[in-house]
Amino acid sequence: MKTVLISDFDDLKSAADILKAGGLVASPTETVYGLCANALDPSAVAKIFKAKGRPSDNPLIVHIANLDMLTPLVENIPQTAKLLIEHFWPGPLTLVFKASPIVPKEVTGGLDTVAVRFPSHPIMRQLITLSGLPLAAPSANTSGKPSPTTAKRVIEDLNGKIESIIDGGSCEFGVESTVLDITSSLPVILRPGGITYEMLKKVLGRLEIDPAIYQGLSGDLLPKAPGMKYTHYAPNASVFIVKGDPKRAAMKINELVKEQQNLGRRVGVLATDETKHLMHADLVLSGGTLSNLNTIANRLFEDLRRFDDAHMDIVYTLAFPTNEIGAAIMNRLEKSASYNIISI
Ligand code: TXA
Ligand code: MG
């Protein structure tokens, strides 16, 4: 298949036509690039799973561009949802509702719930509006790889496998939306993301975090967001997180780098602006300063992919604080490291 690259806003109509005909289009969103298909067409949705190599029990998020599109997808809109919608939509918050019968099981992974998101990105919104369709859209990467935050990374993974890719520059947040289950009385964060626990707490008063998110899935806990149990966000290199005071962790990483280089391995380090000058490795990248976690989140997936570009065998990274967007950063890093954590 020849993948058409669209970089002109005026060509969005042709992308909408592809979606209406049951094809796949990758589009930028404010979080990461998404791989879109008509959410109500099971055979279009099946193509998403094929193009990504995604396990079929991992449900998809349905994207809408106005509130009228929500009603037919869900059984009901609880009061909590109305409050959250007022505060956070459009934006990087996905809400899990009881699904209506029109949502295909290919989208829900056979669950009786559906995840819905109203993105704020103008291109994605325009695409939904022009097609007139709710769009199922997972991140536009090969399953297991770090999510793409530029069109270039989508091309790397999906060129030749999908009809079209829209180039809308780089994404604002760089980590995916927060997934919040509102089907029981106490809302539960199933995946930390762009709308943080702190922001949600201010509005909701009480909410929980799915304990499986931070347990490394080593115990009996099965995550409620099915996608969270799979290998994810992983570059080709093996990733190790070194947790502890940043300066001491930097020293420990330098020791580890030397050991690995002596074994003939190419070693990368993900540091911060504060620690970068202390680190020695084949490639040292800085995500930004510790005082601005938003920048670190924004660059995280791109940095992981840059280590692959430079053919690193091993990557060591510092740990980041887990407040605000840091919760999403550490969740993604822990998964990309398969929970290989060295505490000092
Ligand atoms: O920011 C985002 O959410 C991006 C952009 C493209 O919108 N999309 C995205 O989709 O991250 P994906 O498929 O990579 O992640 C969807 C997550 C998975 O962890 C999945 O298991 C969970 O949402 N999910 C989807 N439907 C669910 C449901 N009904 N119940 C619980 N979790 C669900
Ligand atoms: Mg994904």
Side-chain angles (χ1 to χ4, degrees):
M1 180 184 303
K2 169 134 180 48
T3 302
V4 178
L5 187 67
I6 297 179
S7 39
D8 182 350
F9 229 169
D10 295 336
D11 285 345
L12 289 184
K13 206 185 147 295
S14 63
D17 289 340
I18 292 170
L19 292 167
K20 284 195 267 189
L24 302 185
V25 175
S27 168
T29 83
E30 71 278 24
T31 57
V32 301
Y33 274 70
L35 179 59
C36 309
N38 177 0
L40 302 179
D41 176 349
S43 67
V45 171
K47 292 180 191 164
I48 292 182
F49 288 90
K50 185 152 184 266
K52 279 180 63 88
R54 178 177 173 112
S56 62
D57 69 341
N58 188 5
L60 304 174
I61 295 172
V62 179
H63 297 67
I64 58 173
N66 62 65
L67 291 181
D68 290 341
M69 295 179 82
L70 176 62
T71 317
L73 299 170
V74 302
E75 207 167 75
N76 65 328
I77 304 177
Q79 207 49 47
T80 320
K82 291 181 183 151
L83 189 66
L84 292 164
I85 287 169
E86 198 180 297
H87 279 86
F88 300 114
W89 278 10
L93 176 66
T94 295
L95 297 175
V96 176
F97 295 87
K98 287 276 178 208
S100 84
I102 71 159
V103 185
K105 65 174 190 322
E106 286 74 8
V107 169
T108 63
L111 299 172
D112 61 356
T113 54
V114 60
V116 184
R117 166 161 133 72
F118 184 161
S120 63
H121 196 290
I123 294 180
M124 182 69 171
R125 286 172 73 168
Q126 184 72 357
L127 193 62
I128 299 167
T129 305
L130 286 173
S131 65
L133 297 168
L135 298 181
S139 47
N141 51 287
T142 300
S143 200
K145 291 258 155 258
S147 303
T149 53
T150 62
K152 174 176 168 245
R153 299 307 187 179
V154 180
I155 294 168
E156 261 173 33
D157 282 17
L158 297 177
N159 192 28
K161 297 183 177 169
I162 64 177
E163 279 80 359
S164 183
I165 298 170
I166 304 169
D167 186 350
S170 63
C171 303
E172 177 192 347
F173 285 87
V175 289
E176 302 87 343
S177 63
T178 305
V179 178
L180 186 72
D181 184 349
I182 49 165
T183 57
S184 46
S185 53
L186 196 58
V188 187
I189 294 180
L190 304 185
R191 177 178 74 181
I195 301 296
T196 64
Y197 172 82
E198 289 84 348
M199 292 160 81
L200 292 167
K201 186 150 172 72
K202 258 192 212 150
V203 170
L204 294 173
R206 284 180 66 216
L207 75 156
E208 276 184 344
I209 302 175
D210 183 1
I213 291 176
Y214 295 112
Q215 304 250 336
L217 309 185
S218 49
D220 303 330
L221 294 171
L222 256 194
K224 294 200 187 68
M228 301 299 281
K229 71 176 179 284
Y230 294 107
T231 308
H232 243 114
Y233 318 117
N236 297 326
S238 307
V239 179
F240 294 85
I241 302 172
V242 180
K243 263 189 187 159
D245 164 74
K247 290 227 166 85
R248 288 191 47 221
M251 295 305 119
K252 177 70 185 175
I253 287 176
N254 282 339
E255 267 173 42
L256 293 165
V257 169
K258 245 206 203 111
E259 272 173 30
Q260 292 301 327
Q261 285 177 330
N262 287 341
L263 295 170
R265 304 206 171 99
R266 287 171 63 77
V267 191
V269 168
L270 182 59
T272 61
D273 288 355
E274 292 84 354
T275 51
K276 189 173 189 227
H277 65 283
L278 302 170
M279 314 286 237
H280 307 284
D282 294 290
L283 176 64
V284 180
L285 297 177
S286 166
T289 111
L290 275 174
S291 61
N292 189 352
L293 292 177
N294 290 325
T295 310
I296 292 174
N298 173 273
R299 294 186 194 159
L300 180 65
F301 290 140
E302 180 59 23
D303 285 345
L304 291 175
R305 283 180 178 251
R306 283 173 68 192
F307 288 119
D308 277 351
D309 295 344
H311 306 291
M312 295 296 129
D313 301 304
I314 296 191
V315 169
Y316 292 103
T317 169
L318 294 172
F320 297 95
T322 52
N323 60 311
E324 303 287 353
I325 194 77
I329 296 172
M330 284 311 292
N331 167 260
R332 306 305 190 274
L333 263 186
E334 285 177 358
K335 288 179 71 66
S336 76
S338 306
Y339 299 93
N340 287 322
I341 298 168
I342 300 162
S343 294
I344 54 156

